[in-house]
Amino acid sequence: RRCGRPGGSWRLGAEAAGMASREEAEVQVSELELLSSMFPRREEFLVTDPLALAELQLAAASEAAEMPSSKVQFTLNVKPEVPGASMAEFSMVCALPFKYPTVPPEITVRSPLLSRSQQIQLNSDLKTYLMQNCSGEPCMLSAREWVKDHASAYVDRELSSSSVTTSNASQSEDVIFTRLWIYSHHIYNKQKRKNIIEWAKELSLSGFSMPGKPGVVCVEGLQSNCDEFWSRVRRLTWKRILIRHREDVSLEGGGHAEIQKQRKFSTLEEKCFDAHGPRGNHMDLGQLYQFLEQKGCADIFQMYFGVEGH
């Protein structure tokens, strides 16, 4: 970004820094376009912050453009061959620092197949690989290949003897089932409504979303996936949004069957209850109460609205 302050050498330094930033922005845009062309389906590659991408594209296109206010964040889903697991999916939750590729990308790999300790070990090894192999060159494709080639080895990896005690002590932390009850002043925007449905599907969350005024969203599933969903949703622009209530249940064993037993909803779908009002956006809260009662969640109604349902 140019600055009109006097002092030739100072301004030259600022311009040089701006050029470096623009060059990095160009490299990032090119790599994201490559990923998009190689993985066109949203289940494979999804930019989770379109605004940051738009700012990055502007910065790459013009010297006069402001540098982005936030890092571009996206998800790459990988399906390595895992013996005995037909639907093994590993999600790479990624962010590109402003100075990437001069500095490595920020990547966290997640999968329901991994225990907490296995996930920590995998991400630690991936970070080491990135530090050694990402120095000034785009490396998202090679990072994805590394995960595809190595992730399955962590699923059945035995813990070293020094970490067995720690693992046993924190066994209850390995798999936590979470249910979030989110309240918003209103949910009208079609893109937000679409994001809620798609992100829940991507993160294997069930629940429901009630648009209108007020807006109510419930998601349930693995704790890490619920936290990722909330992290994405809260970054969108809202008049008011908050977690009204949170439920966390530690699961022994933590297998797929135990997770399914905890669910009160089969999928995540949008629910509209006889919308009325001048804009057709006020939902019938009596019907919402009946819906919650059917799902065994009637007590939540009072937490949301401060009154007994009927």
Side-chain angles (χ1 to χ4, degrees):
R1 202 165 35 179
R2 284 197 176 90
C3 180
R5 186 183 294 186
S9 61
W10 186 92
R11 185 170 61 189
L12 187 63
E15 287 177 354
M19 279 178 60
S21 298
R22 185 186 175 195
E23 287 168 8
E24 284 150 355
E26 288 173 345
V27 170
Q28 291 185 29
V29 167
S30 295
E31 187 168 25
L32 289 166
E33 287 175 349
L34 176 64
L35 290 171
S36 182
S37 65
M38 292 183 68
F39 311 108
R41 293 187 300 137
R42 295 171 71 87
E43 309 91 73
E44 298 175 304
F45 170 67
L46 179 67
V47 174
T48 50
D49 191 347
L51 179 60
L53 175 59
E55 289 182 342
L56 181 70
Q57 289 168 332
L58 280 175
S62 169
E63 288 182 26
E66 296 277 336
M67 290 313 295
S69 57
S70 58
K71 295 177 280 193
V72 172
Q73 303 192 48
F74 55 94
T75 302
L76 274 170
N77 289 322
V78 189
K79 292 186 178 179
E81 294 292 328
V82 179
S86 57
M87 290 298 290
E89 184 164 278
F90 290 73
S91 288
M92 297 169 61
V93 181
C94 314
L96 298 183
F98 294 127
K99 288 293 181 184
Y100 173 84
T102 306
V103 299
E106 298 165 5
I107 303 175
T108 302
V109 181
R110 297 178 175 141
S111 172
L113 297 176
L114 295 171
S115 69
R116 190 181 177 197
S117 56
Q118 289 165 342
Q119 182 172 307
I120 289 170
Q121 188 61 56
L122 188 158
N123 282 296
S124 174
D125 292 349
L126 173 58
K127 188 173 183 179
T128 300
Y129 169 81
L130 293 172
M131 295 294 286
Q132 293 171 349
N133 295 276
C134 181
S135 54
E137 294 296 326
C139 61
M140 284 309 308
L141 278 176
S142 57
R144 186 183 183 278
E145 284 302 305
W146 188 93
V147 172
K148 188 172 183 181
D149 292 343
H150 295 85
S152 60
Y154 291 82
V155 175
D156 298 315
R157 177 171 290 189
E158 291 296 322
L159 298 167
S160 65
S161 55
S162 61
S163 62
V164 166
T165 309
T166 310
S167 173
N168 289 340
S170 64
Q171 191 67 37
S172 62
E173 296 177 38
D174 277 359
V175 177
I176 297 177
F177 182 88
T178 295
R179 187 176 296 112
L180 299 181
W181 296 94
I182 299 168
Y183 174 91
S184 173
H185 179 270
H186 64 262
I187 304 175
Y188 300 144
N189 184 279
K190 287 182 180 178
Q191 185 58 49
K192 287 180 186 173
R193 289 164 65 177
K194 189 177 177 185
N195 285 343
I196 287 168
I197 301 295
E198 291 183 349
W199 289 343
K201 184 179 178 183
E202 176 197 339
L203 296 164
S204 302
L205 302 177
S206 49
F208 74 95
S209 171
M210 185 186 83
K213 182 179 180 180
V216 172
V217 179
C218 169
V219 289
E220 56 179 12
L222 288 174
Q223 182 184 57
S224 58
N225 291 353
C226 284
D227 290 342
E228 171 64 20
F229 178 87
W230 172 240
S231 173
R232 294 183 193 181
V233 166
R234 70 187 298 191
R235 283 201 298 265
L236 302 175
T237 304
W238 302 93
K239 181 170 182 179
R240 185 171 186 236
I241 193 165
L242 55 100
I243 295 176
R244 184 70 85 188
H245 182 59
R246 178 186 185 116
E247 302 168 49
D248 289 309
V249 181
S250 296
L251 303 181
E252 287 190 21
H256 180 74
E258 284 87 350
I259 293 168
Q260 294 305 102
K261 274 184 205 170
Q262 293 294 327
R263 293 187 191 272
K264 292 184 183 288
F265 306 89
S266 55
T267 59
L268 189 137
E269 57 183 347
E270 192 170 88
K271 304 293 290 186
C272 294
F273 303 105
D274 284 353
H276 60 280
R279 293 172 59 184
N281 54 28
H282 288 258
M283 296 295 162
D284 186 321
L285 297 184
Q287 289 187 26
L288 171 63
Y289 175 78
Q290 289 170 7
F291 171 71
L292 292 173
E293 193 173 39
Q294 289 167 8
K295 298 295 183 180
C297 311
D299 55 324
I300 293 297
F301 191 88
Q302 187 173 14
M303 292 184 191
Y304 267 112
F305 306 108
V307 295
E308 296 286 347
H310 58 275

mmCIF file of all heavy atoms in Angstrom, residues 23-38:
data_model
loop_
_atom_site.group_PDB
_atom_site.id
_atom_site.type_symbol
_atom_site.label_atom_id
_atom_site.label_comp_id
_atom_site.label_asym_id
_atom_site.label_seq_id
_atom_site.Cartn_x
_atom_site.Cartn_y
_atom_site.Cartn_z
ATOM 1 N N GLU A 23 2.797 -10.024 -4.486
ATOM 2 C CA GLU A 23 3.318 -11.248 -5.104
ATOM 3 C C GLU A 23 2.816 -12.487 -4.359
ATOM 4 O O GLU A 23 2.429 -13.485 -4.971
ATOM 5 C CB GLU A 23 4.847 -11.221 -5.108
ATOM 6 C CG GLU A 23 5.432 -10.247 -6.134
ATOM 7 C CD GLU A 23 6.920 -10.012 -5.914
ATOM 8 O OE1 GLU A 23 7.510 -10.721 -5.076
ATOM 9 O OE2 GLU A 23 7.475 -9.110 -6.562
ATOM 10 N N GLU A 24 2.831 -12.414 -3.033
ATOM 11 C CA GLU A 24 2.342 -13.545 -2.239
ATOM 12 C C GLU A 24 0.844 -13.766 -2.479
ATOM 13 O O GLU A 24 0.380 -14.898 -2.582
ATOM 14 C CB GLU A 24 2.629 -13.307 -0.748
ATOM 15 C CG GLU A 24 4.102 -13.529 -0.414
ATOM 16 C CD GLU A 24 4.612 -12.682 0.736
ATOM 17 O OE1 GLU A 24 3.860 -11.830 1.236
ATOM 18 O OE2 GLU A 24 5.782 -12.865 1.113
ATOM 19 N N ALA A 25 0.095 -12.650 -2.610
ATOM 20 C CA ALA A 25 -1.335 -12.762 -2.891
ATOM 21 C C ALA A 25 -1.562 -13.440 -4.241
ATOM 22 O O ALA A 25 -2.444 -14.293 -4.381
ATOM 23 C CB ALA A 25 -1.989 -11.372 -2.875
ATOM 24 N N GLU A 26 -0.746 -13.082 -5.237
ATOM 25 C CA GLU A 26 -0.881 -13.690 -6.571
ATOM 26 C C GLU A 26 -0.617 -15.201 -6.512
ATOM 27 O O GLU A 26 -1.329 -15.996 -7.133
ATOM 28 C CB GLU A 26 0.095 -13.024 -7.550
ATOM 29 C CG GLU A 26 -0.307 -11.612 -7.937
ATOM 30 C CD GLU A 26 0.767 -10.915 -8.771
ATOM 31 O OE1 GLU A 26 1.913 -11.417 -8.793
ATOM 32 O OE2 GLU A 26 0.466 -9.875 -9.381
ATOM 33 N N VAL A 27 0.420 -15.591 -5.769
ATOM 34 C CA VAL A 27 0.751 -17.014 -5.637
ATOM 35 C C VAL A 27 -0.396 -17.759 -4.962
ATOM 36 O O VAL A 27 -0.796 -18.855 -5.383
ATOM 37 C CB VAL A 27 2.061 -17.196 -4.829
ATOM 38 C CG1 VAL A 27 2.284 -18.665 -4.489
ATOM 39 C CG2 VAL A 27 3.249 -16.661 -5.620
ATOM 40 N N GLN A 28 -0.954 -17.155 -3.898
ATOM 41 C CA GLN A 28 -2.051 -17.804 -3.177
ATOM 42 C C GLN A 28 -3.282 -17.969 -4.064
ATOM 43 O O GLN A 28 -3.916 -19.032 -4.077
ATOM 44 C CB GLN A 28 -2.401 -16.996 -1.924
ATOM 45 C CG GLN A 28 -1.303 -17.037 -0.856
ATOM 46 C CD GLN A 28 -1.709 -16.324 0.423
ATOM 47 O OE1 GLN A 28 -2.876 -16.250 0.768
ATOM 48 N NE2 GLN A 28 -0.729 -15.794 1.147
ATOM 49 N N VAL A 29 -3.625 -16.907 -4.817
ATOM 50 C CA VAL A 29 -4.794 -16.980 -5.710
ATOM 51 C C VAL A 29 -4.587 -18.072 -6.755
ATOM 52 O O VAL A 29 -5.486 -18.872 -7.037
ATOM 53 C CB VAL A 29 -5.059 -15.614 -6.390
ATOM 54 C CG1 VAL A 29 -6.067 -15.769 -7.540
ATOM 55 C CG2 VAL A 29 -5.581 -14.609 -5.375
ATOM 56 N N SER A 30 -3.374 -18.131 -7.341
ATOM 57 C CA SER A 30 -3.086 -19.153 -8.361
ATOM 58 C C SER A 30 -3.240 -20.557 -7.788
ATOM 59 O O SER A 30 -3.806 -21.451 -8.440
ATOM 60 C CB SER A 30 -1.662 -18.976 -8.902
ATOM 61 O OG SER A 30 -1.548 -17.758 -9.592
ATOM 62 N N GLU A 31 -2.736 -20.751 -6.566
ATOM 63 C CA GLU A 31 -2.818 -22.086 -5.972
ATOM 64 C C GLU A 31 -4.261 -22.463 -5.642
ATOM 65 O O GLU A 31 -4.686 -23.597 -5.860
ATOM 66 C CB GLU A 31 -1.950 -22.180 -4.719
ATOM 67 C CG GLU A 31 -1.884 -23.604 -4.186
ATOM 68 C CD GLU A 31 -0.807 -23.802 -3.133
ATOM 69 O OE1 GLU A 31 -0.433 -22.821 -2.463
ATOM 70 O OE2 GLU A 31 -0.347 -24.938 -2.968
ATOM 71 N N LEU A 32 -5.048 -21.502 -5.161
ATOM 72 C CA LEU A 32 -6.449 -21.774 -4.856
ATOM 73 C C LEU A 32 -7.237 -22.090 -6.127
ATOM 74 O O LEU A 32 -8.118 -22.955 -6.128
ATOM 75 C CB LEU A 32 -7.071 -20.580 -4.119
ATOM 76 C CG LEU A 32 -6.576 -20.382 -2.678
ATOM 77 C CD1 LEU A 32 -6.971 -19.023 -2.151
ATOM 78 C CD2 LEU A 32 -7.129 -21.475 -1.760
ATOM 79 N N GLU A 33 -6.913 -21.395 -7.222
ATOM 80 C CA GLU A 33 -7.568 -21.685 -8.505
ATOM 81 C C GLU A 33 -7.207 -23.092 -8.980
ATOM 82 O O GLU A 33 -8.046 -23.816 -9.524
ATOM 83 C CB GLU A 33 -7.165 -20.640 -9.549
ATOM 84 C CG GLU A 33 -7.821 -19.276 -9.315
ATOM 85 C CD GLU A 33 -7.311 -18.213 -10.278
ATOM 86 O OE1 GLU A 33 -6.302 -18.473 -10.997
ATOM 87 O OE2 GLU A 33 -7.914 -17.119 -10.319
ATOM 88 N N LEU A 34 -5.944 -23.481 -8.761
ATOM 89 C CA LEU A 34 -5.508 -24.826 -9.138
ATOM 90 C C LEU A 34 -6.267 -25.884 -8.331
ATOM 91 O O LEU A 34 -6.768 -26.876 -8.887
ATOM 92 C CB LEU A 34 -3.998 -24.973 -8.915
ATOM 93 C CG LEU A 34 -3.411 -26.375 -9.175
ATOM 94 C CD1 LEU A 34 -3.575 -26.759 -10.642
ATOM 95 C CD2 LEU A 34 -1.935 -26.408 -8.775
ATOM 96 N N LEU A 35 -6.370 -25.662 -7.027
ATOM 97 C CA LEU A 35 -7.099 -26.604 -6.171
ATOM 98 C C LEU A 35 -8.557 -26.710 -6.602
ATOM 99 O O LEU A 35 -9.136 -27.791 -6.647
ATOM 100 C CB LEU A 35 -7.013 -26.161 -4.701
ATOM 101 C CG LEU A 35 -5.648 -26.282 -4.027
ATOM 102 C CD1 LEU A 35 -5.665 -25.603 -2.666
ATOM 103 C CD2 LEU A 35 -5.232 -27.743 -3.877
ATOM 104 N N SER A 36 -9.154 -25.561 -6.938
ATOM 105 C CA SER A 36 -10.556 -25.540 -7.361
ATOM 106 C C SER A 36 -10.764 -26.312 -8.660
ATOM 107 O O SER A 36 -11.770 -27.001 -8.830
ATOM 108 C CB SER A 36 -11.019 -24.089 -7.525
ATOM 109 O OG SER A 36 -12.373 -24.050 -7.888
ATOM 110 N N SER A 37 -9.789 -26.213 -9.570
ATOM 111 C CA SER A 37 -9.918 -26.929 -10.846
ATOM 112 C C SER A 37 -9.669 -28.428 -10.675
ATOM 113 O O SER A 37 -10.292 -29.252 -11.344
ATOM 114 C CB SER A 37 -8.948 -26.352 -11.886
ATOM 115 O OG SER A 37 -7.602 -26.584 -11.497
ATOM 116 N N MET A 38 -8.775 -28.784 -9.753
ATOM 117 C CA MET A 38 -8.475 -30.200 -9.525
ATOM 118 C C MET A 38 -9.549 -30.895 -8.695
ATOM 119 O O MET A 38 -9.800 -32.089 -8.865
ATOM 120 C CB MET A 38 -7.123 -30.350 -8.822
ATOM 121 C CG MET A 38 -5.934 -29.962 -9.682
ATOM 122 S SD MET A 38 -4.373 -30.242 -8.820
ATOM 123 C CE MET A 38 -4.322 -32.031 -8.723
#
